[in-house]
């Protein structure tokens, strides 16, 4: 009886060992592919081998089953925009079945956001999209976001004054185009059909990514997007950063005596991450080039008011556009909380304000050889955005990802004008409060 018990126990241990080996082997039949820089899983990576004619694609979590490849010598991992890798079975086991693809240094941008409000490969987007990488900001050195868009060479920017910039896409402008800031539509009732300067409220130094959707985006963004969509993604806090990081930028330009100062700092620890950004821009009167510009734009004279009397004074420097300078302040604060393994809660605060912005094309307007306006200014342009968003990335039968964004915006604009010799000054002020709530659900169905 004792020997029988030993025999039974030995058989049980053997069966248990075989089961554990089989279980471990079955668990190892799945590989996960990541981006080596962002450490995020990659969707659509082609897994193949020379010995087998079958192929496999990674899912949203970067995972793919490789049980059918256990007898092959090596597996190849390929994705557009990344350097391909070939690993044998022993190398995969040593790496715990995790593969990290290195982005190719010579490739077109492969990820966009604007097309479907989710991260998506460019080859999957039917419409034309242009992506402006923030890495080019230092090289192109734009004075404001309007110049940043114009530097792409694919958008026409109308500027009636130094503190101006109205983008045009495919002949559409103003309220026929839509501006999206971190997933929140900027367009409100204050967006008129004439040229707009709202894009100046966006700080170019705070941008992480800029995308331009050529073509109607009304399905995803609403009726204001019939001409195109400009999507701006600003800097975000990093939960993985456990030390204080920051950037400081200063700039001076002789063309308009520009004085610019910018600083942004971020810090992350545990479940919390913070990012602060501040910019100050001061622009003086613009000086035209010697060999360019229409003669009609020369500032041959300007109005000087003393003791309530307007007097037209000759300008000894006609190329200096007296009355075009202004200054601007941009502030941004972001906070991120990791509420769970698969969800985050983000708060964002944006604030921008300008001084009076003279409208130069009106100030040089003449009738019977004399200037018409003693003053024509856009009053202080103020914009504030407060945003609270919740992101969930936990695939279920109903959804793969869920995004909820609630936002409050405040706009204030004014126009001030007075004709020469007239004591009456006209002022018009507009204030708009805008509330929004977006709930986006993504579910991918594959045959």
């Amino acid at each position: 009886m004792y020997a029988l018990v030993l025999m039974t126990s030995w058989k049980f241990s053997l069966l248990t060992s075989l089961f554990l080996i089989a279980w471990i082997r079955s668990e190892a039949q799945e590989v996960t592919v990541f981006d080596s820089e962002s450490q995020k899983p990659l969707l659509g990576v082609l897994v193949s081998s020379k010995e087998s004619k079958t192929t496999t694609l990674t899912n949203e979590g970067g995972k793919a089953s490789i049980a059918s490849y256990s007898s092959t010598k090596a597996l190849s991992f390929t994705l557009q925009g990344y350097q391909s890798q070939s690993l044998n079975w022993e190398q995969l086991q040593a790496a715990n079945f995790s593969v990290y693809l290195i982005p190719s240094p010579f490739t077109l941008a492969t990820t966009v956001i604007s097309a479907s409000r989710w991260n998506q490969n460019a080859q999957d987007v039917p419409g034309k999209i242009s992506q402006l990488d923030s890495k080019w900001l230092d090289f192109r050195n734009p004075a404001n976001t309007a110049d940043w868009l114009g530097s792409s060479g694919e958008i026409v920017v109308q500027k009636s004054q130094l503190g101006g910039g109205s983008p045009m896409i495919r002949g559409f402008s103003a309220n026929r185009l839509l501006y999206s800031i971190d997933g929140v539509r900027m367009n409100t009732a204050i967006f008129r059909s004439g040229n707009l300067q709202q894009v100046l409220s966006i700080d170019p130094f705070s941008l992480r990514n800029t995308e331009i959707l050529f073509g109607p985006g009304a399905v995803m963004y609403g009726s204001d997007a019939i001409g195109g969509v400009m999507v701006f993604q600003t800097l975000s806090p990093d939960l993985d950063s456990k030390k204080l990081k920051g950037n400081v930028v200063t700039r001076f330009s002789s063309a308009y005596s520009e004085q610019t100062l910018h600083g942004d700092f971020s810090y992350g620890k545990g479940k919390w991450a913070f990012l602060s950004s501040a910019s100050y821009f001061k622009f003086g009167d613009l000086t035209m080039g010697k060999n360019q510009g229409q003669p009609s734009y020369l500032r041959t004279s300007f109005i000087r008011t003393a003791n309530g009397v307007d007097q037209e004074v000759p300008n000894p420097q006609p190329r200096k556009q007296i009355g075009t300078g202004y200054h601007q302040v941009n502030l941004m604060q972001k906070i991120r909380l990791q509420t769970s393994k698969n969800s985050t809660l983000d708060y964002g605060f944006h604030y921008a304000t300008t001084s009076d912005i003279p409208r130069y094309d009106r100030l040089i307007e003449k009738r019977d050889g004399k200037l018409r306006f003693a003053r024509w200014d856009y009053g202080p342009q103020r914009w504030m955005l407060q945003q609270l968003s919740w992101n969930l990335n936990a695939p279920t039968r109903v959804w793969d990802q869920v995004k909820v964004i609630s936002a409050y915006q405040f706009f204030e604009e004014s126009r001030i004008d007075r004709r020469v010799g007239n004591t009456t000054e006209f002022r018009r002020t507009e204030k708009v409060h805008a509330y929004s709530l977006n709930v986006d659900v993504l579910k991918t169905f594959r045959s």
Side-chain angles (χ1 to χ4, degrees), residues 115-348:
S116 62
R117 301 173 65 94
W118 304 95
N119 292 336
Q120 189 175 8
N121 290 333
Q123 60 265 28
D124 297 331
V125 181
K128 178 184 177 182
I129 292 179
S130 177
Q131 188 175 38
L132 283 70
D133 196 332
S134 59
K135 295 179 181 178
W136 288 93
L137 272 169
D138 295 335
F139 177 76
R140 294 176 179 174
N141 211 17
N144 50 48
T145 305
D147 290 346
W148 169 235
L149 291 171
S151 69
S152 67
E154 300 186 72
I155 288 186
V156 176
V157 178
Q158 186 272 348
K159 300 186 72 170
S160 299
Q161 63 280 336
L162 178 62
S166 181
M168 296 184 180
I169 302 177
R170 303 185 306 117
F172 293 95
S173 63
N175 60 5
R176 294 296 187 268
L177 305 178
L178 188 136
Y179 306 76
S180 174
I181 316 295
D182 291 337
V184 178
R185 53 179 291 143
M186 196 178 186
N187 296 49
T188 60
I190 210 168
F191 279 57
R192 61 193 179 94
S193 58
N195 291 312
L196 297 171
Q197 323 303 329
Q198 271 76 14
V199 73
L200 267 68
S201 296
I202 304 170
D203 182 3
F205 291 109
S206 69
L207 293 178
R208 175 172 54 89
N209 190 35
T210 306
E211 293 171 357
I212 306 164
L213 173 60
F214 297 85
V219 174
M220 287 293 175
Y221 293 94
S223 59
D224 296 316
I226 63 174
V229 183
M230 287 165 283
V231 177
F232 302 94
Q233 294 289 325
T234 59
L235 300 173
S236 299
D238 187 2
L239 290 167
D240 297 328
S241 175
K242 297 183 180 180
K243 59 182 180 180
L244 182 65
K245 298 188 299 183
N247 300 286
V248 176
V249 178
T250 60
R251 183 174 62 198
F252 173 79
S253 174
S254 59
Y256 32 72
S257 301
E258 177 195 3
Q259 301 174 40
T260 294
L261 176 63
H262 165 79
D264 62 80
F265 303 92
S266 61
Y267 177 75
K269 184 177 181 180
K271 296 182 178 181
W272 293 88
F274 305 87
L275 185 142
S276 302
S277 173
S279 298
Y280 174 74
F281 305 87
K282 184 178 181 180
F283 302 97
D285 294 332
L286 176 65
T287 301
M288 296 172 58
K290 294 181 180 180
N291 302 320
Q292 296 181 356
Q294 300 179 10
S296 60
Y297 257 57
L298 292 173
R299 185 68 149 150
T300 56
S301 61
F302 61 94
I303 300 298
R304 178 182 293 166
T305 304
N307 299 322
V309 179
D310 296 329
Q311 183 180 4
E312 187 169 338
V313 180
N315 183 10
Q317 296 179 305
R319 292 189 297 108
K320 187 172 184 178
Q321 300 180 352
I322 295 177
T324 54
Y326 73 102
H327 62 265
Q328 177 174 335
V329 176
N330 285 81
L331 303 174
M332 184 179 75
Q333 177 64 53
K334 287 192 172 184
I335 302 173
R336 172 168 292 178
L337 171 63
Q338 183 86 42
T339 55
S340 68
K341 180 181 179 181
N342 299 314
S343 67
T344 58
L345 192 65
D346 293 86
Y347 169 76

Side-chain angles (χ1 to χ4, degrees), residues 200-201 326-330 351-357 378-383:
L200 267 68
S201 296
Y326 73 102
H327 62 265
Q328 177 174 335
V329 176
N330 285 81
Y351 179 77
T353 182
T354 69
S355 63
D356 291 344
I357 301 178
Y378 290 111
Q381 179 175 296
R382 297 186 177 92
W383 171 64

